[in-house]
Amino acid sequence: MPAGLETDSVRLRETMAKALAEDGVLADPAWREAVEAVPRHRFVPGFYLPTDERDAHGLTVWEPVTAELDYGRWLAAAYSDTTLITQFDGEEPDWKNPAVRHGGAPTSSSTLPSLVVRMWADAEVSEGHTVLEIGTGTGYSTALACERLGSADVTSIEVDPHRLAQAADALYGLGHTPTLAVADGLYGYWPEASFDRIVAACSFRAVPPALLAQVRPGGKILLTLSGWLYGYARVLLTVGADGTAEGHLLGGTVSFMSARTHAAPVFGNPAHWAAGLPEKARTTPHSPERISAATEEAFHLRFLAQSAVPDAQMVTVGEVVHLVDAVTGSAATLAPYDGGWQVREGGPVKLWEQIERVLDAYDGADRPGPETFSLHVYAGGQHLRHPQMRGLPLPRP
């Protein structure tokens, strides 16, 4: 490593902290001190950045970035407010001999610092709290928590043993000694329970019941709900003495990688599903772009639609949008027709019809934002509720 690395990193950390503070992310001086103290580069010896090109198969080309390959680019990216992909498809890279990647599904990353700090702040974490972090990843977020709370009050779990080993090396190398364990976030971590706060750096299809049982009454859980339509919503839950929990959705368009046990199943060829649908089509008043567009409202609507059809997946082939439910065997297609859209659907669940009902209710309620929805978790299930809309059940974990 270059002799001036530590000096360079201190300057870049201060610059990054100043920028985050100016953006309103670091309103709490204690979190700013943590950002200024923790050297992020120690947690990302290598990562991938996307290029502007696609390969012959249309796949994104990802370039490896390390200090040996390009010191300036590596260090600048480490102290940028950017998510850095550190693993694809669960395969641990060889950072001594890294190779360009074509496509692949990211399975681990160093989350952008602004979101890391935002998660800790939104969970209302403060001195004296014991916390469970789900998804250690590179360990950078864990280090910030240790810097703020002290290692003794921090437990962090990670499902990937290789990821945890690298994070542990970096954490211990900086003098942080939190409780670390290889564990599935779906079940929390009973040996260290109960916690004042649980913060998840991955997303779940529904709130895992084990997490509620591991939080003290009055404690809080901050997690991201996701699903197979790739709709996301963050929720801050307060746990009651009776083991139930409730809270409101938070605003913004935050997404996290899915917990590996909640990943979507492979469903095969969309054309095979479409071939089994009835020939008769009907017109629909709603364009599929309402849930697929790159807008904040579509991001929110995709989550609401997903709550109505939690087992559905969506893929576009040419101009045709396919909805496939590998659990029930239901399917639907939407195709442009005469300036509008036609839908064909079959199977026990009329997928697009269920989504239409959500869109109608949403429009009828004057298009309410995420903060107006509340999530209620109890022994009989989990429901998303709104004063003007019918409750939407979430899938059971």
Side-chain angles (χ1 to χ4, degrees):
M1 291 290 181
L5 173 58
E6 294 307 319
T7 301
D8 291 342
S9 70
V10 169
R11 175 179 52 82
L12 289 171
R13 285 203 300 278
E14 291 175 347
T15 300
M16 182 175 74
K18 180 181 179 182
L20 294 177
E22 290 174 348
D23 289 342
V25 177
L26 285 176
D28 185 335
W31 284 119
R32 179 167 181 168
E33 289 177 11
V35 171
E36 291 176 340
V38 176
R40 191 186 186 204
H41 71 273
R42 296 282 290 271
F43 297 90
V44 284
F47 47 85
Y48 291 95
L49 292 177
T51 66
D52 293 330
E53 62 179 296
R54 299 261 179 171
D55 68 10
H57 301 287
L59 300 174
T60 300
V61 178
W62 296 84
E63 287 184 342
V65 181
T66 66
E68 290 73 23
L69 291 172
D70 189 332
Y71 170 76
R73 188 186 187 196
W74 168 74
L75 194 61
Y79 290 102
S80 65
D81 192 29
T82 305
T83 292
L84 305 173
I85 305 301
T86 55
Q87 186 192 78
F88 287 89
D89 302 320
E91 300 172 359
E92 197 62 31
D94 177 5
W95 292 118
K96 295 190 181 301
N97 298 287
V100 172
R101 284 201 61 104
H102 294 251
T107 48
S108 189
S109 67
S110 178
T111 304
L112 65 162
S114 62
L115 178 53
V116 170
V117 175
R118 180 178 167 188
M119 291 290 286
W120 288 123
D122 285 348
E124 301 172 6
V125 171
S126 61
E127 288 79 1
H129 283 156
T130 55
V131 302
L132 169 64
E133 177 188 41
I134 297 175
T136 313
T138 65
Y140 175 67
S141 174
T142 318
L144 291 178
C146 290
E147 194 70 37
R148 172 71 188 270
L149 305 174
S151 297
D153 288 334
V154 178
T155 298
S156 186
I157 60 174
E158 168 64 49
V159 73
D160 186 325
H162 298 291
R163 291 279 86 209
L164 189 68
Q166 291 193 12
D169 287 344
L171 287 162
Y172 297 155
L174 293 171
H176 299 304
T177 56
T179 298
L180 301 175
V182 176
D184 188 336
L186 191 64
Y187 306 104
Y189 197 62
W190 285 102
E192 294 295 319
S194 294
F195 302 98
D196 295 301
R197 298 289 187 271
I198 294 180
V199 177
C202 61
S203 62
F204 295 96
R205 297 184 71 209
V207 182
L211 300 189
L212 271 64
Q214 294 178 34
V215 175
R216 296 188 179 97
K220 297 179 185 294
I221 301 172
L222 179 68
L223 52 72
T224 301
L225 297 171
S226 66
W228 299 344
L229 285 182
Y230 297 102
Y232 297 87
R234 288 191 313 147
V235 62
L236 180 62
L237 295 167
T238 300
V239 178
D242 60 355
T244 64
E246 61 179 80
H248 284 272
L249 302 188
L250 304 180
T253 54
V254 171
S255 60
F256 275 105
M257 294 177 192
S258 175
R260 297 190 186 183
T261 46
H262 281 190
V266 178
F267 58 80
N269 187 337
H272 295 168
W273 292 81
L277 295 176
E279 288 295 326
K280 186 177 180 180
R282 64 176 178 84
T283 59
T284 173
H286 299 290
S287 163
E289 293 176 353
R290 292 203 64 185
I291 63 172
S292 64
T295 65
E296 192 163 334
E297 182 180 57
F299 187 93
H300 173 45
L301 274 175
R302 190 155 57 250
F303 175 73
L304 298 182
Q306 174 182 278
S307 299
V309 286
D311 298 323
Q313 297 180 66
M314 182 170 62
V315 63
T316 301
V317 180
E319 292 186 305
V320 179
V321 176
H322 296 257
L323 288 167
V324 172
D325 183 338
V327 176
T328 68
S330 304
T333 61
L334 291 103
Y337 176 79
D338 195 24
W341 291 83
Q342 283 194 331
V343 58
R344 297 163 55 216
E345 52 191 339
V349 179
K350 299 299 183 283
L351 300 175
W352 188 249
E353 183 178 311
Q354 293 297 318
I355 293 175
E356 284 176 326
R357 290 175 180 172
V358 172
L359 295 175
D360 287 341
Y362 173 79
D363 292 340
D366 199 23
R367 302 187 173 190
E371 301 89 342
T372 63
F373 288 82
S374 60
L375 180 66
H376 299 255
V377 185
Y378 48 94
Q382 306 182 22
H383 278 75
L384 192 65
R385 292 174 179 163
H386 187 274
Q388 281 84 45
M389 292 180 63
R390 181 182 176 187
L392 298 171
L394 271 67
R396 297 193 66 85

